[in-house]
Amino acid sequence: MNLAQLNVGRLVAPLDAPEMAAFVALLEPINALADDAPGFVWRFTASDTDSAVAYRHDSGDDLLINMSVWRTRQDLWNYVYRTRHLAVLQRRREWFARTVEVHSVMWWVPDGHLPTAAEGMARLARLAEHGPGPDAFTFKDFHEPSGTPA
């Protein structure tokens, strides 16, 4: 089993707005950092020719989706919190609106399975509606592949 993760964010401005320039400039190097990180399996991309293009969901042009698959929880944790990605994460309020909505979810997928955006959004909705469980959870309320809480 591999660990899938999805997070969403509502942009404070269109991607081509000047206030988003720093974020857009960071997409390619941060995505490359993920691609080369230990345990990285796959990242959802909006374009086959430009991996730095952020995917836009049909929930509105201001909603960006990031989804990836990792071998383990520790691999994902190390990338998120122990690489240059953390500095970008700490600047998220510059580019994304604050929200009280659930914005991040994880779930286990069989080896070789590449989740769709619809699948990820369904997991996010499940987490929002029912709270953490074996089918949708977070780092804080993590579940092992067996379904047992960590």
Side-chain angles (χ1 to χ4, degrees), residues 1 17 20 60 78 84-85 92 110 114 117 119 128 138 142 144:
M1 298 291 276
M20 298 302 295
N78 288 342
R84 290 178 294 140
H85 176 271
R92 68 187 177 277
L114 304 179
E119 180 182 349
T138 64
F142 196 81
E144 299 294 341

Side-chain angles (χ1 to χ4, degrees), residues 75-88:
D75 290 334
L76 176 58
W77 179 273
N78 288 342
Y79 166 70
V80 171
Y81 297 109
R82 296 190 175 156
T83 67
R84 290 178 294 140
H85 176 271
L86 178 59
V88 176

Side-chain angles (χ1 to χ4, degrees), residues 8 16 22 29-30 32 38 48 50 57 59 63 67 71 82 86 91 93 117-119 121 129 132 140 142:
V8 299
D16 57 355
I30 290 302
D48 291 336
D50 185 354
H57 187 265
S59 294
L63 184 70
M67 185 166 59
R71 295 214 184 283
R82 296 190 175 156
L86 178 59
R91 294 180 62 190
R93 297 291 176 244
E119 180 182 349
M121 293 303 284
E129 292 171 19
K140 182 180 176 186
F142 196 81

